[in-house]
Amino acid sequence: MWQHNYEPIAGSLALSAPVAALPIVVLFLMLGVVRSPAWQAAASALFTALIVSIAAYGMPAKLAIISTLYGAAYGLFPIAWIVFASIMLYRIAVDTGKFEIIKDSVGSLTDDRRLQAMFIAFSFGAFIEGAAGFGAPVAVSGAMLAGLGFNTFYAAGICLLANTAPVAFGSIGIPVTTLAAVTGLPVLPLSAMVGRMCAMISIIIPGYLIVVMAGRKRAIEVLPAIIACGVSFAGMQFYVSNNVGPELTDIVSSLTCIVVMVAVLKLWKPRNIMRLEGDTPASITMSRHSAGELFLAWSPYLLLVVFVLLWGEASIKPRINAIGDSLLPAGLPTVPASGLVAARLMVPGLHNMIERIPPVVPQPSPYAALFELNWLSASGTACLFAIFATALVLRVSPSRFAKTYVDTFKQLKFALLTIACMLGLAYLMNYSGMTSTLGLALAATGFAFPFFSAVVGWLGVFLTGSDTSANALFGNLQVVTADALGLNPVLTASVNSAAGVMGKMISVQSIAVAVAATQMTSADAGRLFRFTIKHSVFLMIVMGLISMLYAYAFPGAVPAAPPAP
């Protein structure tokens, strides 16, 4: 059994930490300086981590490779599985023309620019974030606002600002699911804590958007709509994340917000209609689609909600797990299913082959490596069934279905590779002890670490462009540091995700998507970055202060959940 060494360089933590940070430095340089594609940056960082783990930490090459493959496998299933299914469902809606009806129904509610921005960029954007994520909300919402006659710069900037609080539960809750896998902490406590923090921001984001866009005075003119939007979304985000789980948090919250906003816009109108300087007056035509057409257009996402709820139901999920486990090949070295958890594979050549030592753990103990074989009960499988049901409802031919599948794969092939590399990197850093070295070094920040945990998450999303990737990269680092300082690891891990989303609006990928969606020139990217950076830093500081309050003023409000063995 190979034993961890958290101070491999001359027995010094101060000398070992910079070496452990080399893969992250390479990732940052590749993304922020060289501006390489995300998959190339992730692959370079992974290669660096392999060298450091073997040469500096003395990790046996076999263990290093298996750790990497273990992480990459988790990146492909269930994470990439969910991403692929959610994007394919979105593409079916687009390819069948139903998404145009959705856009028409959304864009025809009001001709006031403030209300359009709030409804499309925040309410509808949050829905797209929950269903698809990975750049789709900014692309779709930005294109819609530009199509309604918005100044393209405003359209892009507003959508970037709005795409913050929903990101932590984007793409069927995959950032939180990833965080749970990397840290070993249970999903529901993490979901609850992320929801408690994000809800505090969600309630102010609609008003924040309008103040940035039009100023305080013009924002007060639409205060009823701002309150309705923020309270309905934040309230449902808090409830679902705390009582149901991360998968449907964004979808249910955004649908609730959309319904509330539609009612508000039908029953109330602002006294003064606002247009922005430089806007092209939009010709807003009320939707002439029938109720049946609208229901059919929204059916892909309604079916998604139904299937995800069914798959997560406590009385149904164990049965699905039992069926899935019965179909697994005989003789696999597995831990039997228990309730909501499917059978778990003991990763050959890695499970309990590494020993963790104090101060990371109270006493020397083997490091488990268990891969959950929940192929049938995974959220991605629920999405797949929603895809099949949608294809039947919308009468998608087999040939068209196959074409959509191929097109989705072509669209996501590099994104899937990036996910696999990022998870491989995260798992290798965890199993080699590099993450623990960095965590012990960060423990030197002491009392202020809850604030700096927000900075770490923010930097992760800024540089990777993904809350999922940032959670994979830094999630366990947050836990190790919290354990070293005697803090609740659920808090610091959750802060990584909740504060990290504030870096989304300034990431290279998000700005590139916004520029492309609104058909601005590439030269506008720098201007857009300068517009969003001050808001990003401000909101990150707010999350850091909220983290400090939870850590020291209201520690009882943080769910208690010890790391899994």
Side-chain angles (χ1 to χ4, degrees):
M1 180 181 291
W2 179 69
Q3 190 178 71
H4 274 172
N5 178 7
Y6 307 125
E7 300 174 346
I9 309 301
S12 168
L13 185 63
L15 294 176
S16 300
V19 175
L22 279 176
I24 299 172
V25 172
V26 169
L27 180 69
F28 286 4
L29 290 175
M30 292 289 288
L31 286 171
V33 179
V34 182
R35 299 200 174 186
S36 300
W39 71 270
Q40 291 182 8
S44 300
L46 176 57
F47 181 72
T48 304
L50 281 167
I51 294 174
V52 172
S53 64
I54 296 170
Y57 278 75
M59 187 181 195
K62 180 181 177 181
L63 291 178
I65 292 172
I66 295 175
S67 299
T68 302
L69 293 176
Y70 176 29
Y74 187 83
L76 295 176
F77 181 88
I79 297 175
W81 182 223
I82 296 174
V83 174
F84 185 91
S86 61
I87 294 295
M88 185 172 175
L89 185 70
Y90 165 70
R91 286 191 68 99
I92 288 177
V94 172
D95 293 345
T96 56
K98 301 305 178 185
F99 202 79
E100 289 300 317
I101 298 177
I102 293 176
K103 287 167 61 177
D104 186 39
S105 66
V106 169
S108 63
L109 290 169
T110 178
D111 56 358
D112 185 282
R113 292 306 189 194
R114 296 162 295 183
L115 301 180
Q116 286 177 350
M118 186 163 51
F119 188 86
I120 294 174
F122 182 79
S123 303
F124 187 65
F127 174 76
I128 300 300
E129 178 65 44
F134 293 90
V138 173
V140 173
S141 300
M144 287 177 68
L145 289 178
L148 288 171
F150 264 69
N151 174 285
T152 54
F153 180 79
Y154 271 108
I158 288 166
C159 289
L160 287 170
L161 286 174
N163 191 223
T164 48
V167 171
F169 296 99
S171 195
I172 321 297
I174 201 61
V176 175
T177 304
T178 301
L179 187 64
V182 171
T183 62
L185 295 168
V187 171
L188 192 56
L190 289 173
S191 174
M193 193 64 232
V194 172
R196 292 172 194 183
M197 299 188 75
C198 285
M200 298 175 72
I201 292 294
S202 297
I203 202 168
I204 67 170
I205 287 293
Y208 189 88
L209 281 178
I210 304 306
V211 170
V212 170
M213 173 183 169
R216 294 181 185 177
K217 184 177 180 180
R218 301 307 299 270
I220 292 175
E221 294 176 355
V222 291
L223 189 59
I226 288 174
I227 294 174
C229 183
V231 170
S232 61
F233 184 89
M236 192 56 69
Q237 184 182 52
F238 180 91
Y239 176 81
V240 177
S241 64
N242 278 257
N243 296 282
V244 179
E247 292 87 356
L248 287 176
T249 297
D250 271 355
I251 291 179
V252 175
S253 301
S254 57
L255 286 176
T256 301
C257 184
I258 287 172
V259 170
V260 169
M261 285 295 291
V262 168
V264 169
L265 296 178
K266 291 292 185 182
L267 299 173
W268 171 87
K269 302 291 181 184
R271 291 183 179 180
N272 302 311
I273 301 298
M274 176 189 169
R275 295 191 184 280
L276 295 175
E277 184 179 351
D279 264 354
T280 301
S283 177
I284 305 298
T285 304
M286 295 304 292
S287 175
R288 297 179 181 177
H289 300 291
S290 66
E293 290 174 321
L294 290 173
F295 180 80
L296 198 63
W298 282 90
S299 63
Y301 296 108
L302 296 175
L303 287 167
L304 177 65
V305 171
V306 170
F307 278 101
V308 172
L309 281 176
L310 283 174
W311 252 242
E313 173 59 39
S315 61
I316 296 176
K317 191 167 186 175
R319 300 178 186 176
I320 299 176
N321 278 331
I323 296 172
D325 292 346
S326 68
L327 298 176
L328 292 174
L332 287 177
T334 60
V335 176
S338 59
L340 299 178
V341 179
R344 288 166 292 169
L345 172 68
M346 300 177 190
V347 180
L350 182 64
H351 180 62
N352 289 343
M353 297 299 293
I354 297 174
E355 186 175 55
R356 292 186 290 180
I357 61 174
V360 172
V361 289
Q363 58 186 13
S365 58
Y367 202 164
L370 299 171
F371 186 90
E372 188 173 355
L373 299 170
N374 62 335
W375 66 276
L376 191 57
S377 65
S379 296
T381 307
C383 295
L384 180 65
F385 276 84
I387 289 172
F388 288 141
T390 296
L392 291 174
V393 170
L394 300 184
R395 298 180 181 180
V396 178
S397 67
S399 60
R400 193 172 188 178
F401 186 90
K403 183 179 184 301
T404 302
Y405 176 90
V406 172
D407 291 344
T408 303
F409 181 79
K410 289 180 179 178
Q411 176 187 344
L412 293 177
K413 58 184 178 182
F414 288 118
L416 301 182
L417 178 60
T418 303
I419 292 170
C421 287
M422 288 299 299
L423 267 294
L425 171 64
Y427 275 55
L428 176 59
M429 292 187 68
N430 291 343
Y431 279 91
S432 66
M434 282 188 275
T435 298
S436 298
T437 297
L438 293 173
L440 294 173
L442 277 173
T445 59
F447 178 86
F449 178 71
F451 180 87
F452 283 102
S453 68
V455 178
V456 169
W458 175 79
L459 282 172
V461 177
F462 163 49
L463 290 161
T464 66
S466 165
D467 198 42
T468 300
S469 296
N471 285 345
L473 190 61
F474 292 134
N476 202 51
L477 173 66
Q478 301 273 16
V479 170
V480 170
T481 310
D483 288 337
L485 292 170
L487 296 170
N488 190 330
V490 171
L491 172 63
T492 56
S494 300
V495 170
N496 194 82
S497 188
V501 300
M502 303 310 167
K504 184 82 169 178
M505 70 179 80
I506 56 173
S507 71
V508 175
Q509 296 92 318
S510 295
I511 289 177
V513 168
V515 169
T518 54
Q519 299 183 359
M520 291 192 292
T521 65
S522 57
D524 289 318
R527 180 183 170 212
L528 198 56
F529 177 84
R530 292 190 294 274
F531 171 76
T532 55
I533 181 65
K534 56 183 177 292
H535 304 296
S536 178
V537 172
F538 171 72
L539 292 171
M540 179 271 291
I541 291 173
V542 171
M543 292 301 294
L545 295 175
I546 291 174
S547 175
M548 292 287 284
L549 286 174
Y550 271 114
Y552 302 117
F554 308 106
V558 181

